[in-house]
């Protein structure tokens, strides 16, 4: 059993965590980062598609912010929108300064392209993996103590209670190979464990829901969990991982149905498949339901720079299906493509944080997509998840260090660590039983289905899903682990079951449809009731919801007058009554 | 000798030089190290999520990862379609 003290503890080493560690270490001496896998070989950040928001010195960022706020349905913290853009301008400079590969034009300038759905906002293509390698190096050079292969299972609290009435004071976990436990007591803790997800969906099977669930148990306020339903066009010919949809469509890839029709013309005659992602996904579902499937990605007119970049990406990533001989040549034949849709928050939900990345719990901050990206509202931006992860990481590290500087090391109950050790390791002493961790994960993914079935939610369906998560939680609580590797997966399964339950409860609570969130039984957007952030907290009486008004009076952009209740865009697409002019 | 279990990943042990890089590369701990043979082995091959991080790090090309995963965890809307339908003949357009 290892027990150490830190000024600042970071949990998770993707962009959020590593930027937090790097910045904190510039201000305080004792920064520890616990990572479940190996920093720079783990997390969505490392394997992401390499599109990130790219503001440069001469850009008028107020125009970019306005685009984010309007596209995000005004459901934004506009101060965060500004902080995100200004922060990302600095992050891009730092990455470029370290020599991270960025796609450039003949003049050596960063080659930028319009972000999906946007007119002004620009993105760039860079190597996320090389960025992570460089960030690991930079963090170590600044004295960050990185401890890889630690699966964190619980936050430590000053009163040993969950939910706590005190503060968060570090975290507890175990080595994923030796099983040895570790407790890090810290003045400030930054949670950066990434997205909420299930296994088998996004090539990052160790990033599930651990952090968000840990924070919920400790009493941190989460928001907008129902917006965790999401996905993108990632499945090619029903079994291959496509690569980056965003990059492909930015370079001329089109979606066509079985009749050869570019069906997005019906919904977004300006942006087509670059329109709001959830609407494109809904349009896909509609084509399928109406018998015009499969939907194909037509890459015959994609420009050469795309194929050139793809070769570079392939070198750093190891492989790309589009350049392999396993499929017909995508430059010649359109190939069936489809979106995944399910528990995949991507920053549209998570811990509510303020401008300094502080959660509602003292001692706990959050960075990356474990936090809700309030900067972009309902807009699912290509490039923002990574941009937000980097800048929220930087801000969280700075704020955590500054607070730590004026604090004593907190105290916690003497028996807390012993209690956690016993509970966390208990499955190792139990027989594996009928349902192993792997089978539990199989059954959890069965809670959801293909996009056509998963996108329309109804109360009876959600209630059934909630019941199933209750059963899964009960099974996980009784299950045994064959070895330490299995123990990791068992804790993950328990977290996914709990997280899915919270997401489905939130979806049941929200009696309207809004952008990507679609309730078939409440198809209208209802600004009177739901123009707010939808909070969720763990209380002594169980989950408790709240609705937080968005404080427009302090923001530069005011929403247009409240619209009367109207069909949400996805509801309109599903009913075949979508008029692009009404939803611009 | 190639070690492959019903999973997308395999190691050619003749090529493995025992550098252990794959042990860091894999986020889900698919690889283990055999101290006796001083070579990597597939400890938990069914946990491969086809991220290809090991491929980039293996200096001798000993590791192969197949593109396709057949997994009950993936839900395709095309499950009932004929594989021929998943490619569109451009001459029909
Ligand atoms: C295939 C794919 C392509 C994408 N492409 C793009 C793109 O082109 N542009 C874009 O902007 N966004 C993209 N995204 C989204 C984006 O990559 C992520 O939202 C972003 O990188 C998240 O950063 P993060 O630091 O919050 O999380 P991550 O990078 O996922 O890091 C989280 C880290 O926490 C660790 N961790 C998790 N649980 C624990 C635990 N219990 N204990 C200890 N450590 C833990 C994980 O191992 C991981 O290293 C993509 C995502 C995927 C999956």
């Amino acid at each position: 059993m290892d027990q150490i003290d830190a000024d600042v503890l970071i949990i998770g080493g993707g962009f959020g965590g590593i930027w937090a560690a790097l910045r904190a270490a510039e201000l305080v001496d004792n920064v520890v980062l616990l990572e479940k896998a190996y920093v720079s070989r783990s997390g969505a950040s490392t394997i992401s598609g390499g599109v990130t928001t790219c503001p440069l010195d001469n850009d008028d960022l107020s125009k970019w912010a306005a685009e984010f706020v309007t596209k995000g349905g005004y459901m934004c913290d506009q101060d965060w929108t500004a902080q995100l853009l200004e922060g990302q301008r600095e992050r891009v400079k730092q990455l470029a300064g370290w020599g991270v590969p960025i796609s450039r034009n003949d003049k050596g300038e960063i080659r930028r392209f319009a972000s999906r759905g946007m007119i002004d906002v620009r993105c760039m293509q860079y190597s996320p993996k090389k960025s992570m390698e460089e960030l690991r190096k930079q963090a170590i050079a600044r004295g960050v103590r990185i401890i890889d292969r630690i699966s964190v299972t619980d936050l430590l609290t000053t009163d040993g209670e969950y939910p706590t009435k005190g503060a968060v004071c570090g975290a507890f976990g175990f080595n994923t190979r030796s099983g040895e436990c570790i407790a890090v007591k810290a003045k400030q803790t930054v949670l950066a464990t990434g997205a909420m997800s299930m296994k088998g969906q996004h090539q990052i099977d160790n990033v599930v829901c651990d952090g968000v669930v840990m924070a919920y148990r400790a009493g941190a306020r989460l928001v907008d969990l129902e917006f965790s339903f999401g996905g993108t066009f990632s499945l090619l010919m029903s079994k291959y991982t496509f690569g980056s949809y965003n990059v492909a469509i930015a370079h001329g890839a089109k979606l066509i149905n079985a009749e050869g029709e570019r069906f997005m013309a019906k919904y977004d005659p300006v942006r087509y498949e670059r329109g709001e992602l959830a609407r494109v996904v809904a349009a896909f579902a509609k084509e399928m339901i109406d018998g015009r499937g499969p939907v194909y990605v037509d890459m015959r007119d994609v420009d050469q720079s795309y194929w050139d970049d793809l070769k570079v990406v392939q070198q750093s990533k190891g492989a790309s299906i589009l350049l392999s001989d396993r499929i017909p040549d995508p430059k010649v034949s359109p190939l069936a493509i489809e979106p995944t849709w399910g528990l995949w928050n991507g920053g549209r939900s998570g811990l509510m944080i303020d401008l300094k990345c502080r959660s509602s719990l003292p001692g706990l901050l959050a960075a990356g997509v474990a936090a809700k990206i309030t900067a972009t509202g309902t807009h699912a931006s290509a490039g923002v998840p990574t941009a937000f992860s980097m800048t929220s990481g930087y801000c969280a590290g700075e704020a955590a260090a500054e607070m730590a500087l004026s604090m004593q090391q907190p105290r916690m109950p003497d028996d807390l660590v012993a209690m956690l050790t016993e509970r966390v390791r208990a499955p190792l002493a139990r027989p594996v039983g009928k349902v192993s961790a792997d089978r539990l994960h199989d059954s959890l993914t069965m809670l959801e289905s293909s996009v056509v079935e998963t996108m329309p939610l109804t109360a009876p369906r959600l209630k059934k899903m909630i019941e199933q998560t209750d059963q899964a939680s009960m099974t996980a609580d009784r299950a045994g682990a064959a070895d330490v590797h299995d123990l990791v997966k068992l804790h993950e399964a328990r977290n996914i079951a709990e997280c899915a339950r919270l997401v489905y409860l939130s979806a049941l609570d929200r009696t309207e449809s809004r952008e990507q969130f679609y309730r078939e039984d409440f198809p209208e957007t209802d600004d009177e009731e739901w123009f707010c952030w939808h909070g969720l907290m763990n209380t002594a009486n169980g989950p408790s919801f709240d609705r937080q008004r968005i404080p427009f009076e302090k923001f530069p952009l005011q929403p247009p007058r409240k619209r009367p209740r109207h069909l949400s865009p996805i509801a309109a697409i599903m009913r075949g009554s979508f008029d692009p002019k009404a939803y611009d | 000798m190639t070690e492959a279990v019903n999973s997308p990943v395999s190691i050619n042990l003749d090529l493995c030089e025992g550098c252990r890089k794959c042990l860091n590369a894999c986020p889900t701990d698919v690889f283990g190290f055999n101290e006796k043979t001083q070579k990597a082995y597939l400890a938990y091959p069914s946990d491969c999520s086809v991220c290809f991080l090991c491929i980039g790090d293996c200096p001798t090309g000993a590791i192969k990862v197949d593109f396709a995963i057949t997994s009950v965890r993936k839900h395709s809307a095309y499950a009932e379609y004929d594989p021929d339908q998943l490619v569109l003949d451009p001459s029909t357009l």
Side-chain angles (χ1 to χ4, degrees), chain A residues 16 35-36 42 44-45 48-49 51 152 206 210 369 383 386 389:
Chain A
E35 160 59 44
K36 199 199 269 183
S42 169
S45 302
S48 60
V51 177
V152 174
N206 65 322
D210 302 340
V369 298
T386 44
S389 297

mmCIF file with all atom_site columns, all heavy atoms in Angstrom, chain A residues 16 35-36 42 44-45 48-49 51 152 206 210 369 383 386 389, ligand 1:
data_model
loop_
_atom_site.group_PDB
_atom_site.id
_atom_site.type_symbol
_atom_site.label_atom_id
_atom_site.label_alt_id
_atom_site.label_comp_id
_atom_site.label_asym_id
_atom_site.label_entity_id
_atom_site.label_seq_id
_atom_site.pdbx_PDB_ins_code
_atom_site.Cartn_x
_atom_site.Cartn_y
_atom_site.Cartn_z
_atom_site.occupancy
_atom_site.B_iso_or_equiv
_atom_site.pdbx_formal_charge
_atom_site.auth_seq_id
_atom_site.auth_comp_id
_atom_site.auth_asym_id
_atom_site.auth_atom_id
_atom_site.pdbx_PDB_model_num
ATOM   1   N N   . GLY A 1 16  ? -6.682  16.853 -21.228 1.00 0.00 ? 16  GLY A N   1
ATOM   2   C CA  . GLY A 1 16  ? -7.130  17.580 -20.040 1.00 0.00 ? 16  GLY A CA  1
ATOM   3   C C   . GLY A 1 16  ? -6.138  17.417 -18.905 1.00 0.00 ? 16  GLY A C   1
ATOM   4   O O   . GLY A 1 16  ? -5.667  18.396 -18.314 1.00 0.00 ? 16  GLY A O   1
ATOM   5   N N   . GLU A 1 35  ? -2.649  7.666  -13.912 1.00 0.00 ? 35  GLU A N   1
ATOM   6   C CA  . GLU A 1 35  ? -3.213  7.327  -15.227 1.00 0.00 ? 35  GLU A CA  1
ATOM   7   C C   . GLU A 1 35  ? -3.474  5.819  -15.296 1.00 0.00 ? 35  GLU A C   1
ATOM   8   O O   . GLU A 1 35  ? -2.613  5.020  -14.940 1.00 0.00 ? 35  GLU A O   1
ATOM   9   C CB  . GLU A 1 35  ? -2.229  7.775  -16.322 1.00 0.00 ? 35  GLU A CB  1
ATOM   10  C CG  . GLU A 1 35  ? -2.400  7.110  -17.682 1.00 0.00 ? 35  GLU A CG  1
ATOM   11  C CD  . GLU A 1 35  ? -3.765  7.292  -18.337 1.00 0.00 ? 35  GLU A CD  1
ATOM   12  O OE1 . GLU A 1 35  ? -4.299  8.409  -18.332 1.00 0.00 ? 35  GLU A OE1 1
ATOM   13  O OE2 . GLU A 1 35  ? -4.296  6.281  -18.845 1.00 0.00 ? 35  GLU A OE2 1
ATOM   14  N N   . LYS A 1 36  ? -4.653  5.463  -15.770 1.00 0.00 ? 36  LYS A N   1
ATOM   15  C CA  . LYS A 1 36  ? -5.027  4.047  -15.823 1.00 0.00 ? 36  LYS A CA  1
ATOM   16  C C   . LYS A 1 36  ? -4.155  3.260  -16.802 1.00 0.00 ? 36  LYS A C   1
ATOM   17  O O   . LYS A 1 36  ? -3.847  2.098  -16.556 1.00 0.00 ? 36  LYS A O   1
ATOM   18  C CB  . LYS A 1 36  ? -6.497  3.935  -16.236 1.00 0.00 ? 36  LYS A CB  1
ATOM   19  C CG  . LYS A 1 36  ? -7.116  2.601  -15.895 1.00 0.00 ? 36  LYS A CG  1
ATOM   20  C CD  . LYS A 1 36  ? -8.370  2.367  -16.692 1.00 0.00 ? 36  LYS A CD  1
ATOM   21  C CE  . LYS A 1 36  ? -9.594  2.861  -15.965 1.00 0.00 ? 36  LYS A CE  1
ATOM   22  N NZ  . LYS A 1 36  ? -10.831 2.573  -16.720 1.00 0.00 ? 36  LYS A NZ  1
ATOM   23  N N   . SER A 1 42  ? -2.841  6.403  -24.507 1.00 0.00 ? 42  SER A N   1
ATOM   24  C CA  . SER A 1 42  ? -4.116  6.130  -23.867 1.00 0.00 ? 42  SER A CA  1
ATOM   25  C C   . SER A 1 42  ? -5.054  7.288  -24.112 1.00 0.00 ? 42  SER A C   1
ATOM   26  O O   . SER A 1 42  ? -4.626  8.385  -24.432 1.00 0.00 ? 42  SER A O   1
ATOM   27  C CB  . SER A 1 42  ? -3.884  5.981  -22.371 1.00 0.00 ? 42  SER A CB  1
ATOM   28  O OG  . SER A 1 42  ? -5.113  5.976  -21.692 1.00 0.00 ? 42  SER A OG  1
ATOM   29  N N   . ALA A 1 44  ? -8.818  9.189  -25.495 1.00 0.00 ? 44  ALA A N   1
ATOM   30  C CA  . ALA A 1 44  ? -9.298  9.658  -26.796 1.00 0.00 ? 44  ALA A CA  1
ATOM   31  C C   . ALA A 1 44  ? -8.299  10.636 -27.387 1.00 0.00 ? 44  ALA A C   1
ATOM   32  O O   . ALA A 1 44  ? -8.093  10.679 -28.600 1.00 0.00 ? 44  ALA A O   1
ATOM   33  C CB  . ALA A 1 44  ? -10.659 10.315 -26.637 1.00 0.00 ? 44  ALA A CB  1
ATOM   34  N N   . SER A 1 45  ? -7.655  11.428 -26.531 1.00 0.00 ? 45  SER A N   1
ATOM   35  C CA  . SER A 1 45  ? -6.738  12.445 -27.047 1.00 0.00 ? 45  SER A CA  1
ATOM   36  C C   . SER A 1 45  ? -5.687  11.833 -27.963 1.00 0.00 ? 45  SER A C   1
ATOM   37  O O   . SER A 1 45  ? -5.425  12.339 -29.055 1.00 0.00 ? 45  SER A O   1
ATOM   38  C CB  . SER A 1 45  ? -6.052  13.167 -25.884 1.00 0.00 ? 45  SER A CB  1
ATOM   39  O OG  . SER A 1 45  ? -7.006  13.760 -25.041 1.00 0.00 ? 45  SER A OG  1
ATOM   40  N N   . SER A 1 48  ? -7.311  10.450 -31.262 1.00 0.00 ? 48  SER A N   1
ATOM   41  C CA  . SER A 1 48  ? -8.346  11.252 -31.917 1.00 0.00 ? 48  SER A CA  1
ATOM   42  C C   . SER A 1 48  ? -7.961  11.569 -33.354 1.00 0.00 ? 48  SER A C   1
ATOM   43  O O   . SER A 1 48  ? -6.822  11.395 -33.771 1.00 0.00 ? 48  SER A O   1
ATOM   44  C CB  . SER A 1 48  ? -8.607  12.535 -31.129 1.00 0.00 ? 48  SER A CB  1
ATOM   45  O OG  . SER A 1 48  ? -7.442  13.306 -31.046 1.00 0.00 ? 48  SER A OG  1
ATOM   46  N N   . GLY A 1 49  ? -8.951  12.069 -34.105 1.00 0.00 ? 49  GLY A N   1
ATOM   47  C CA  . GLY A 1 49  ? -8.787  12.253 -35.544 1.00 0.00 ? 49  GLY A CA  1
ATOM   48  C C   . GLY A 1 49  ? -7.850  13.378 -35.937 1.00 0.00 ? 49  GLY A C   1
ATOM   49  O O   . GLY A 1 49  ? -7.500  13.517 -37.108 1.00 0.00 ? 49  GLY A O   1
ATOM   50  N N   . VAL A 1 51  ? -8.350  16.756 -35.626 1.00 0.00 ? 51  VAL A N   1
ATOM   51  C CA  . VAL A 1 51  ? -8.935  18.053 -35.979 1.00 0.00 ? 51  VAL A CA  1
ATOM   52  C C   . VAL A 1 51  ? -9.038  18.848 -34.690 1.00 0.00 ? 51  VAL A C   1
ATOM   53  O O   . VAL A 1 51  ? -9.573  18.349 -33.707 1.00 0.00 ? 51  VAL A O   1
ATOM   54  C CB  . VAL A 1 51  ? -10.351 17.883 -36.553 1.00 0.00 ? 51  VAL A CB  1
ATOM   55  C CG1 . VAL A 1 51  ? -10.978 19.239 -36.854 1.00 0.00 ? 51  VAL A CG1 1
ATOM   56  C CG2 . VAL A 1 51  ? -10.317 17.030 -37.796 1.00 0.00 ? 51  VAL A CG2 1
ATOM   57  N N   . VAL A 1 152 ? -7.968  4.524  -10.864 1.00 0.00 ? 152 VAL A N   1
ATOM   58  C CA  . VAL A 1 152 ? -8.536  5.220  -9.705  1.00 0.00 ? 152 VAL A CA  1
ATOM   59  C C   . VAL A 1 152 ? -9.989  4.782  -9.552  1.00 0.00 ? 152 VAL A C   1
ATOM   60  O O   . VAL A 1 152 ? -10.736 4.741  -10.526 1.00 0.00 ? 152 VAL A O   1
ATOM   61  C CB  . VAL A 1 152 ? -8.431  6.753  -9.884  1.00 0.00 ? 152 VAL A CB  1
ATOM   62  C CG1 . VAL A 1 152 ? -9.142  7.484  -8.762  1.00 0.00 ? 152 VAL A CG1 1
ATOM   63  C CG2 . VAL A 1 152 ? -6.971  7.172  -9.953  1.00 0.00 ? 152 VAL A CG2 1
ATOM   64  N N   . ASN A 1 206 ? -10.567 1.632  -22.352 1.00 0.00 ? 206 ASN A N   1
ATOM   65  C CA  . ASN A 1 206 ? -10.294 1.871  -20.929 1.00 0.00 ? 206 ASN A CA  1
ATOM   66  C C   . ASN A 1 206 ? -10.890 3.188  -20.450 1.00 0.00 ? 206 ASN A C   1
ATOM   67  O O   . ASN A 1 206 ? -10.867 3.486  -19.272 1.00 0.00 ? 206 ASN A O   1
ATOM   68  C CB  . ASN A 1 206 ? -8.789  1.826  -20.635 1.00 0.00 ? 206 ASN A CB  1
ATOM   69  C CG  . ASN A 1 206 ? -8.068  2.948  -21.322 1.00 0.00 ? 206 ASN A CG  1
ATOM   70  O OD1 . ASN A 1 206 ? -8.405  3.287  -22.442 1.00 0.00 ? 206 ASN A OD1 1
ATOM   71  N ND2 . ASN A 1 206 ? -7.118  3.550  -20.658 1.00 0.00 ? 206 ASN A ND2 1
ATOM   72  N N   . ASP A 1 210 ? -15.627 6.097  -15.298 1.00 0.00 ? 210 ASP A N   1
ATOM   73  C CA  . ASP A 1 210 ? -15.130 6.053  -13.917 1.00 0.00 ? 210 ASP A CA  1
ATOM   74  C C   . ASP A 1 210 ? -15.199 7.402  -13.204 1.00 0.00 ? 210 ASP A C   1
ATOM   75  O O   . ASP A 1 210 ? -15.750 7.523  -12.114 1.00 0.00 ? 210 ASP A O   1
ATOM   76  C CB  . ASP A 1 210 ? -13.657 5.605  -13.873 1.00 0.00 ? 210 ASP A CB  1
ATOM   77  C CG  . ASP A 1 210 ? -13.426 4.250  -14.510 1.00 0.00 ? 210 ASP A CG  1
ATOM   78  O OD1 . ASP A 1 210 ? -14.402 3.482  -14.643 1.00 0.00 ? 210 ASP A OD1 1
ATOM   79  O OD2 . ASP A 1 210 ? -12.263 3.963  -14.875 1.00 0.00 ? 210 ASP A OD2 1
ATOM   80  N N   . VAL A 1 369 ? -13.248 16.323 -21.183 1.00 0.00 ? 369 VAL A N   1
ATOM   81  C CA  . VAL A 1 369 ? -14.671 16.078 -21.403 1.00 0.00 ? 369 VAL A CA  1
ATOM   82  C C   . VAL A 1 369 ? -15.347 15.315 -20.259 1.00 0.00 ? 369 VAL A C   1
ATOM   83  O O   . VAL A 1 369 ? -16.511 14.955 -20.373 1.00 0.00 ? 369 VAL A O   1
ATOM   84  C CB  . VAL A 1 369 ? -14.932 15.396 -22.761 1.00 0.00 ? 369 VAL A CB  1
ATOM   85  C CG1 . VAL A 1 369 ? -14.469 16.294 -23.900 1.00 0.00 ? 369 VAL A CG1 1
ATOM   86  C CG2 . VAL A 1 369 ? -14.280 14.036 -22.827 1.00 0.00 ? 369 VAL A CG2 1
ATOM   87  N N   . GLY A 1 383 ? -13.517 19.537 -33.420 1.00 0.00 ? 383 GLY A N   1
ATOM   88  C CA  . GLY A 1 383 ? -12.333 20.274 -32.996 1.00 0.00 ? 383 GLY A CA  1
ATOM   89  C C   . GLY A 1 383 ? -12.436 20.831 -31.595 1.00 0.00 ? 383 GLY A C   1
ATOM   90  O O   . GLY A 1 383 ? -11.425 20.984 -30.908 1.00 0.00 ? 383 GLY A O   1
ATOM   91  N N   . THR A 1 386 ? -11.178 18.511 -28.296 1.00 0.00 ? 386 THR A N   1
ATOM   92  C CA  . THR A 1 386 ? -9.749  18.545 -27.982 1.00 0.00 ? 386 THR A CA  1
ATOM   93  C C   . THR A 1 386 ? -9.324  19.946 -27.531 1.00 0.00 ? 386 THR A C   1
ATOM   94  O O   . THR A 1 386 ? -8.548  20.091 -26.580 1.00 0.00 ? 386 THR A O   1
ATOM   95  C CB  . THR A 1 386 ? -8.888  18.116 -29.189 1.00 0.00 ? 386 THR A CB  1
ATOM   96  O OG1 . THR A 1 386 ? -9.402  18.750 -30.352 1.00 0.00 ? 386 THR A OG1 1
ATOM   97  C CG2 . THR A 1 386 ? -8.893  16.618 -29.373 1.00 0.00 ? 386 THR A CG2 1
ATOM   98  N N   . SER A 1 389 ? -10.422 20.387 -24.059 1.00 0.00 ? 389 SER A N   1
ATOM   99  C CA  . SER A 1 389 ? -9.651  19.556 -23.135 1.00 0.00 ? 389 SER A CA  1
ATOM   100 C C   . SER A 1 389 ? -8.315  20.217 -22.827 1.00 0.00 ? 389 SER A C   1
ATOM   101 O O   . SER A 1 389 ? -7.881  20.269 -21.676 1.00 0.00 ? 389 SER A O   1
ATOM   102 C CB  . SER A 1 389 ? -9.442  18.155 -23.716 1.00 0.00 ? 389 SER A CB  1
ATOM   103 O OG  . SER A 1 389 ? -10.697 17.523 -23.869 1.00 0.00 ? 389 SER A OG  1
HETATM 104 C C1  . LIG C 2 .   ? -11.767 7.968  -32.438 1.00 0.00 ? 1   LIG C C1  1
HETATM 105 C C2  . LIG C 2 .   ? -11.949 9.359  -31.912 1.00 0.00 ? 1   LIG C C2  1
HETATM 106 C C3  . LIG C 2 .   ? -11.678 10.444 -32.735 1.00 0.00 ? 1   LIG C C3  1
HETATM 107 C C4  . LIG C 2 .   ? -11.836 11.749 -32.255 1.00 0.00 ? 1   LIG C C4  1
HETATM 108 N N1  . LIG C 2 .   ? -11.509 12.778 -33.084 1.00 0.00 ? 1   LIG C N1  1
HETATM 109 C C5  . LIG C 2 .   ? -11.560 14.048 -32.609 1.00 0.00 ? 1   LIG C C5  1
HETATM 110 C C6  . LIG C 2 .   ? -11.100 15.133 -33.407 1.00 0.00 ? 1   LIG C C6  1
HETATM 111 O O1  . LIG C 2 .   ? -10.631 14.948 -34.534 1.00 0.00 ? 1   LIG C O1  1
HETATM 112 N N2  . LIG C 2 .   ? -11.177 16.372 -32.881 1.00 0.00 ? 1   LIG C N2  1
HETATM 113 C C7  . LIG C 2 .   ? -11.666 16.613 -31.621 1.00 0.00 ? 1   LIG C C7  1
HETATM 114 O O2  . LIG C 2 .   ? -11.673 17.759 -31.188 1.00 0.00 ? 1   LIG C O2  1
HETATM 115 N N3  . LIG C 2 .   ? -12.084 15.605 -30.842 1.00 0.00 ? 1   LIG C N3  1
HETATM 116 C C8  . LIG C 2 .   ? -12.034 14.329 -31.300 1.00 0.00 ? 1   LIG C C8  1
HETATM 117 N N4  . LIG C 2 .   ? -12.444 13.300 -30.490 1.00 0.00 ? 1   LIG C N4  1
HETATM 118 C C9  . LIG C 2 .   ? -12.837 13.614 -29.102 1.00 0.00 ? 1   LIG C C9  1
HETATM 119 C C10 . LIG C 2 .   ? -11.605 14.021 -28.287 1.00 0.00 ? 1   LIG C C10 1
HETATM 120 O O3  . LIG C 2 .   ? -10.527 13.196 -28.652 1.00 0.00 ? 1   LIG C O3  1
HETATM 121 C C11 . LIG C 2 .   ? -11.837 13.881 -26.793 1.00 0.00 ? 1   LIG C C11 1
HETATM 122 O O4  . LIG C 2 .   ? -13.044 14.460 -26.426 1.00 0.00 ? 1   LIG C O4  1
HETATM 123 C C12 . LIG C 2 .   ? -10.715 14.547 -25.984 1.00 0.00 ? 1   LIG C C12 1
HETATM 124 O O5  . LIG C 2 .   ? -9.451  14.159 -26.463 1.00 0.00 ? 1   LIG C O5  1
HETATM 125 C C13 . LIG C 2 .   ? -10.863 14.180 -24.526 1.00 0.00 ? 1   LIG C C13 1
HETATM 126 O O6  . LIG C 2 .   ? -9.717  14.536 -23.781 1.00 0.00 ? 1   LIG C O6  1
HETATM 127 P P1  . LIG C 2 .   ? -9.683  14.169 -22.239 1.00 0.00 ? 1   LIG C P1  1
HETATM 128 O O7  . LIG C 2 .   ? -8.383  14.573 -21.710 1.00 0.00 ? 1   LIG C O7  1
HETATM 129 O O8  . LIG C 2 .   ? -10.902 14.696 -21.591 1.00 0.00 ? 1   LIG C O8  1
HETATM 130 O O9  . LIG C 2 .   ? -9.875  12.578 -22.197 1.00 0.00 ? 1   LIG C O9  1
HETATM 131 P P2  . LIG C 2 .   ? -8.928  11.398 -22.727 1.00 0.00 ? 1   LIG C P2  1
HETATM 132 O O10 . LIG C 2 .   ? -7.964  11.840 -23.734 1.00 0.00 ? 1   LIG C O10 1
HETATM 133 O O11 . LIG C 2 .   ? -9.826  10.268 -23.082 1.00 0.00 ? 1   LIG C O11 1
HETATM 134 O O12 . LIG C 2 .   ? -8.090  11.033 -21.450 1.00 0.00 ? 1   LIG C O12 1
HETATM 135 C C14 . LIG C 2 .   ? -8.656  10.467 -20.315 1.00 0.00 ? 1   LIG C C14 1
HETATM 136 C C15 . LIG C 2 .   ? -7.566  9.689  -19.614 1.00 0.00 ? 1   LIG C C15 1
HETATM 137 O O13 . LIG C 2 .   ? -8.038  9.309  -18.340 1.00 0.00 ? 1   LIG C O13 1
HETATM 138 C C16 . LIG C 2 .   ? -7.613  7.995  -18.086 1.00 0.00 ? 1   LIG C C16 1
HETATM 139 N N5  . LIG C 2 .   ? -8.552  7.392  -17.144 1.00 0.00 ? 1   LIG C N5  1
HETATM 140 C C17 . LIG C 2 .   ? -9.842  7.040  -17.349 1.00 0.00 ? 1   LIG C C17 1
HETATM 141 N N6  . LIG C 2 .   ? -10.362 6.490  -16.258 1.00 0.00 ? 1   LIG C N6  1
HETATM 142 C C18 . LIG C 2 .   ? -9.383  6.476  -15.320 1.00 0.00 ? 1   LIG C C18 1
HETATM 143 C C19 . LIG C 2 .   ? -9.306  5.998  -13.982 1.00 0.00 ? 1   LIG C C19 1
HETATM 144 N N7  . LIG C 2 .   ? -10.353 5.418  -13.411 1.00 0.00 ? 1   LIG C N7  1
HETATM 145 N N8  . LIG C 2 .   ? -8.144  6.137  -13.326 1.00 0.00 ? 1   LIG C N8  1
HETATM 146 C C20 . LIG C 2 .   ? -7.055  6.707  -13.920 1.00 0.00 ? 1   LIG C C20 1
HETATM 147 N N9  . LIG C 2 .   ? -7.079  7.160  -15.176 1.00 0.00 ? 1   LIG C N9  1
HETATM 148 C C21 . LIG C 2 .   ? -8.225  7.053  -15.874 1.00 0.00 ? 1   LIG C C21 1
HETATM 149 C C22 . LIG C 2 .   ? -7.644  7.310  -19.429 1.00 0.00 ? 1   LIG C C22 1
HETATM 150 O O14 . LIG C 2 .   ? -6.804  6.176  -19.447 1.00 0.00 ? 1   LIG C O14 1
HETATM 151 C C23 . LIG C 2 .   ? -7.181  8.420  -20.353 1.00 0.00 ? 1   LIG C C23 1
HETATM 152 O O15 . LIG C 2 .   ? -5.810  8.398  -20.570 1.00 0.00 ? 1   LIG C O15 1
HETATM 153 C C24 . LIG C 2 .   ? -12.292 11.977 -30.945 1.00 0.00 ? 1   LIG C C24 1
HETATM 154 C C25 . LIG C 2 .   ? -12.558 10.897 -30.112 1.00 0.00 ? 1   LIG C C25 1
HETATM 155 C C26 . LIG C 2 .   ? -12.376 9.598  -30.576 1.00 0.00 ? 1   LIG C C26 1
HETATM 156 C C27 . LIG C 2 .   ? -12.638 8.454  -29.655 1.00 0.00 ? 1   LIG C C27 1
#
